[in-house]
Amino acid sequence: MLYTENRQNKLEVTEQFINKITEVCNFVLKEEEVLCEYQISLLFVDNNEIREINKETRNIDRETDVLSFPMLDFDYKKVFKDMYVNYVFDETYKDGDELVLGDMVLSLEKAMEQSVEYGHSYEREVSYLVVHSILHLLGYDHIDEDDKKIMRKREEEILNKLRIRR
């Protein structure tokens, strides 16, 4: 289940918008073979708030587009690709039947700015950032170049399957 909270007032957050993001979340997790019930919290903020959160949590004093806070530390390839999820994660990692994957913080203001900068739709940018963030929750990263290539390729594969194009 996706839990959302809107803490910004620069862009409208409609039920249709939330439904689209939920659809993207469900699709990403299905593609990554997360076949159990899940829990993700998504906080919508503006550039000022994401800058503060970035400064507090990562000691980086600048705005960013999305932040991911995984609740689990695991090798996503082993856990989900081998489908050991019910054996690896006991009630310590669950809220009821839902596997708690973590939290995402998304600056809708930054997403709008980037959609203009990159010349694609706001929906595409938000969808990309959600895909990107969920992959982080699942253990993907882009610190070194090899991992970055893997993550970028996976993002594009998922967005293409969703028919969300640049």
Side-chain angles (χ1 to χ4, degrees):
M1 166 136 322
L2 178 68
Y3 297 93
T4 61
E5 181 181 345
N6 183 23
R7 280 205 220 156
Q8 57 82 50
N9 59 11
K10 304 214 186 241
L11 289 132
E12 185 178 14
V13 175
T14 64
E15 186 175 331
Q16 181 180 6
F17 182 78
I18 298 292
N19 289 341
K20 179 62 179 177
I21 290 173
T22 302
E23 179 184 310
V24 170
C25 290
N26 290 338
F27 188 84
V28 173
L29 293 170
K30 183 179 174 191
E31 283 293 303
E32 287 298 305
E33 300 180 30
V34 179
L35 304 176
C36 60
E37 297 289 322
Y38 71 89
Q39 188 177 112
I40 295 174
S41 296
L42 174 54
L43 179 63
F44 300 116
V45 297
D46 60 21
N47 287 347
N48 288 333
E49 187 162 358
I50 206 162
R51 179 181 184 160
E52 285 301 314
I53 294 168
N54 203 18
K55 183 178 177 182
E56 288 172 20
T57 59
R58 299 174 64 222
N59 204 26
I60 299 173
D61 189 11
R62 67 176 161 80
E63 61 195 38
T64 189
D65 46 18
V66 68
L67 293 168
S68 307
F69 300 98
M71 295 300 287
L72 307 171
D73 184 22
F74 59 91
D75 181 343
Y76 67 92
K77 289 174 249 171
K78 178 175 177 32
V79 173
F80 292 115
K81 299 301 181 190
D82 293 342
M83 300 185 20
Y84 292 135
V85 70
N86 291 326
Y87 304 104
V88 174
F89 300 117
D90 62 21
E91 59 275 349
T92 307
Y93 303 102
K94 293 185 175 182
D95 182 5
D97 290 332
E98 297 175 340
L99 178 63
V100 180
L101 294 175
D103 303 321
M104 302 185 297
V105 180
L106 175 59
S107 172
L108 295 181
E109 182 180 9
K110 182 59 102 176
M112 178 59 83
E113 291 169 2
Q114 289 178 173
S115 72
V116 171
E117 179 183 341
Y118 301 141
H120 54 242
S121 73
Y122 172 66
E123 180 182 306
R124 194 267 182 213
E125 186 63 20
V126 169
S127 296
Y128 165 75
L129 293 172
V130 169
V131 170
H132 180 85
S133 189
I134 290 174
L135 290 179
H136 274 310
L137 295 182
L138 297 178
Y140 285 79
D141 214 335
H142 48 80
I143 294 172
D144 70 47
E145 198 56 38
D146 288 340
D147 287 342
K148 183 176 182 176
K149 286 177 186 174
I150 292 168
M151 187 170 184
R152 294 294 183 252
K153 180 179 180 212
R154 192 66 183 127
E155 291 164 351
E156 288 303 315
E157 289 169 351
I158 290 168
L159 290 168
N160 285 333
K161 286 183 179 183
L162 280 166
R163 293 190 169 108
I164 300 173
R165 311 251 194 278
R166 291 180 191 255

